[in-house]
Amino acid sequence: MTRERASWSLVLHAQCDLAGADFAWRFWTDVGNWAVVDPAIAAVRVDPAFEAGARGTTVTEDGAQVEWRIGEVAASRRARIEFPVPGAALRVSWVFRPRQPAGCTMTQTMELSGERATEYEPSVAASMERSAPEGLQRLAAAIDEAYARTADRARRDL
C-alpha cells in the first residue's frame, strides 16, 4: 500500500531530562493525562484501550468533540493517531527514544493528506504551528514532574 504525499507536515522534538522512554510512553498513553497537559481538553476517552484500531474522542472545554482512531502502535516506542475529516486526515505520529545517560526524546510528526487536504491546510497549519510546539514542551515537563514525584515516593519508601 502506498501512502499518499502529505499536503502539509510539521516535525517537533522535545526532551525529557529525567523520565526514560518507557515512563514517558506510559504517561502519554494514559489518556487521562492529556487534560493535565492541554488546558483546552475537558475529557478524553479511548475504546477499548490504547491499541491499534481503537477509537477515541476528545472533548474540548468549549464542548466540541473530536473523533480519532489509533492507526498504529509499537508498544513503548511509537504510535500514530488519525483524525479524519471529509476527504482528508491529519495523522499525528509519536516516537519515544531513550537518551543517554538518562531521559528520552519525543518526536511528534503531523501530516495532513487526502484529496481535500489543501482546503484544510490553512486552518490546520496555523493552529498546529501556533500551539503544538508549546504543547509538546508542556508534555515533556509534565512527564518529568510525574517521574520526579514517582522517584521521590520510591526514595521515601526505602
Side-chain angles (χ1 to χ4, degrees):
M1 178 171 116
T2 19
R3 188 135 171 217
E4 58 191 275
R5 188 171 167 267
S7 153
W8 169 85
S9 65
L10 178 64
V11 178
L12 303 169
H13 304 279
Q15 312 263 333
C16 290
D17 296 323
L18 304 174
D22 289 339
F23 186 91
W25 171 266
R26 286 190 309 274
F27 184 94
W28 178 70
T29 58
D30 176 352
V31 298
N33 288 325
W34 293 9
V36 171
V37 176
D38 187 343
I41 293 175
V44 181
R45 185 183 78 247
V46 64
D47 187 38
F50 199 95
E51 58 189 36
R55 298 203 175 271
T57 304
T58 300
V59 180
T60 63
E61 285 294 331
D62 64 5
Q65 288 194 17
V66 179
E67 304 291 324
W68 44 272
R69 184 180 78 81
I70 300 173
E72 172 190 355
V73 173
S76 298
R77 292 296 172 250
R78 79 176 176 273
R80 184 181 69 244
I81 298 177
E82 301 166 353
F83 299 85
V85 292
L90 175 65
R91 291 176 180 86
V92 183
S93 299
W94 294 80
V95 177
F96 295 78
R97 289 191 177 93
R99 286 185 344 161
Q100 296 302 325
C104 71
T105 299
M106 296 181 296
T107 302
Q108 181 184 38
T109 303
M110 296 176 221
E111 298 177 324
L112 180 64
S113 60
E115 61 191 37
R116 294 182 53 198
T118 56
E119 293 175 39
Y120 297 104
E121 185 177 338
S123 61
V124 169
S127 174
M128 294 297 110
E129 289 170 5
R130 181 182 62 250
S131 65
E134 182 183 325
L136 188 58
Q137 294 304 318
R138 277 195 316 267
L139 175 62
I143 290 169
D144 272 345
E145 287 171 19
Y147 182 82
R149 285 191 306 272
T150 302
D152 287 346
R153 195 169 43 248
R155 279 193 291 274
R156 283 193 305 266
D157 291 345
L158 289 178

